[in-house]
Every structure is written in structure tokens, then in C-alpha cells.
Amino acid sequence: MRLLYRSFLIVGLLIFMNSQSQGQSLSELTFKERLWYGGGFNLGFSGGTGISILQLGVSPMVGYKFTPRFSVGPRISTLVSFYWVDTFNGQRENTQPVNWGAGLFSRYKITSEIFAHVEYEYANQALVERGFDGLETRRITNDNIYI
């Protein structure tokens, strides 16, 4: 809860800074013209003694421009992991846990190449461990703030 409070405080500060800055008006643009899209893709491979992991993910985001320099929007993410593990009893097991997250960000363009970005994310993650009876998966949740 404390992290959530701090993230809203930072977002509020950015909105205040933006309201004090000079910038051209976007009032003549439609709602759709004020939107911008972005995101990322994840691809990862790793391995070690008796374990192989492949990860695939996507994290789309959409921003709404309040001014030419300031925007706010949501971001979601998902990451699918494929585990292949040799267990202690000589078996080969696999599992495919899914991690996901959702968040809200604000972005302020300092120059055309540099921007400040603040984001709050609620993340639900799977932790896979190799136990004596095979693979064990447990879930944790985190409140993350990215600056």
C-alpha cells in the first residue's frame, strides 16, 4: 500500500510539473489521434545441469497525450516459461507457468529523445523449484514501482 501511495505521489508531481510547462495545445486532435502505442517482446533461453528454460513474453502499452510532452496509460504483460527438468528420481518433468502483470504509467518528454517514465505494476509470478518429488510451483505477488 505504501508503494501505491508513493507511485500516485510521483504521478501527481509529474502532472503538476506538466501543468506548469509551456506546450502546444492538443485540443484540435481527436481522442484517437492523442493515443500512442508501444511495448516490448521477451525471448529468453537458459540452461544448466539438468534444466532447460525457454521464455516468451509480450508487454503492450498505450498512452494518452494530455499535452505534447505528458502522457499517461496502462500496460499489461505476460510471460510464459517452459521448464524441462531432470528430477532427483531420474524422471524428466516439464511445466509451463504463466507470469502476468498490469500497471499504470506516466511519461514526460524532456527532449524528443529523452523522457522520464514512472510506473506502478502489480505482478503475479510463478516460482518453479526442483524438489525431491518433482517440480513444485508456487505463486507470489509484488507491487513494483519503476522510475
Side-chain angles (χ1 to χ4, degrees):
M1 189 61 142
R2 196 174 192 164
L3 291 174
L4 183 60
Y5 174 74
R6 288 181 185 168
S7 66
F8 283 119
L9 184 63
I10 292 170
V11 169
L13 181 61
L14 284 175
I15 291 172
F16 175 76
M17 287 172 35
N18 184 61
S19 68
Q20 302 301 314
S21 69
Q22 299 295 324
Q24 73 183 50
S25 172
L26 295 177
S27 60
E28 64 276 359
L29 298 179
T30 66
F31 176 82
K32 191 173 182 179
E33 291 172 328
R34 289 178 178 231
L35 296 178
W36 59 266
Y37 305 92
F41 294 98
N42 303 69
L43 174 63
F45 304 96
S46 63
T49 304
I51 187 168
S52 298
I53 304 169
L54 167 66
Q55 294 183 316
L56 303 168
V58 63
S59 56
M61 63 193 313
V62 61
Y64 178 80
K65 293 180 188 176
F66 285 96
T67 71
R69 291 183 171 214
F70 180 72
S71 59
V72 173
R75 185 189 60 80
I76 59 172
S77 64
T78 185
L79 179 71
V80 180
S81 300
F82 300 89
Y83 286 80
W84 296 274
V85 178
D86 295 332
T87 61
F88 295 117
N89 60 11
Q91 301 282 329
R92 184 155 182 95
E93 290 193 24
N94 62 60
T95 187
Q96 298 87 31
V98 177
N99 297 340
W100 60 270
L104 178 66
F105 69 88
S106 64
R107 183 175 285 186
Y108 183 79
K109 288 176 77 172
I110 298 167
T111 68
S112 60
E113 296 85 19
I114 299 172
F115 59 86
H117 183 100
V118 176
E119 181 175 341
Y120 165 78
E121 177 194 41
Y122 175 82
N124 186 300
Q125 299 172 306
L127 300 177
V128 177
E129 298 172 343
R130 183 173 21 187
F132 289 107
D133 294 331
L135 293 177
E136 299 172 3
T137 303
R138 62 185 176 96
R139 301 202 72 81
I140 61 169
T141 58
N142 291 313
D143 291 308
N144 300 316
I145 294 182
Y146 306 109
I147 299 176

